[in-house]
Amino acid sequence: MENQSMELSCSLQRNLGSLTHLHLYHRGVQHQITLLSMADGGEVRLSPDHRGRMQFRGGLHSLHVNVTISHLEHSDTGLYMWELSYREMDNTDLIHSDTKVFLLVEGTGT
């Protein structure tokens, strides 16, 4: 429902190697945006459109990353996807797509 909150969680898989990048994408009706982006040795980037409504806990060296989006709006409807990039012991890169969640935000009158 509009004005509610939702939490998205991602468990990091250490057996795949060291995590080098983490992204959370939102694919809406007309576009896809990056909500959260982390890189090893780099800064954390949050979507400017969600900065005041989004909080995250965890990081590349955590076991889990949790993102909470508050004050949901109808435009938050869509598919949410985690993408994780790992570096294996032999220095090859592995991109792993994790949990995908579809969210439908309804108004109080719909």
Side-chain angles (χ1 to χ4, degrees):
M1 297 294 291
E2 286 181 328
N3 295 316
Q4 299 277 328
S5 297
M6 75 156 177
E7 183 172 283
L8 298 166
S9 183
C10 180
S11 296
L12 308 183
Q13 299 178 8
R14 297 291 170 208
N15 60 324
L16 296 178
S18 62
L19 188 62
T20 58
H21 294 85
L22 178 144
H23 305 283
L24 175 61
Y25 300 111
H26 171 236
R27 183 176 296 160
V29 175
Q30 297 180 357
H31 62 281
Q32 177 174 308
I33 60 170
T34 303
L35 294 176
L36 171 67
S37 182
M38 295 181 188
D40 194 25
E43 65 184 56
V44 174
R45 292 189 208 146
L46 300 173
S47 165
D49 297 337
H50 291 79
R51 192 176 306 246
R53 302 187 301 125
M54 191 166 70
Q55 296 179 341
F56 74 94
R57 291 180 303 284
L60 297 181
H61 303 290
S62 305
L63 295 176
H64 304 280
V65 175
N66 298 308
V67 171
T68 302
I69 300 175
S70 58
H71 307 290
L72 289 173
E73 302 169 356
H74 189 263
S75 61
D76 292 321
T77 292
L79 186 66
Y80 291 81
M81 302 166 290
W82 292 99
E83 183 181 272
L84 311 169
S85 299
Y86 294 92
R87 173 134 315 138
E88 297 180 299
M89 294 295 199
D90 62 0
N91 282 337
T92 58
D93 291 328
L94 170 69
I95 296 177
H96 177 72
S97 291
D98 200 29
T99 308
K100 295 178 180 142
V101 174
F102 183 79
L103 175 71
L104 174 63
V105 179
E106 295 182 319
T108 54
T110 57

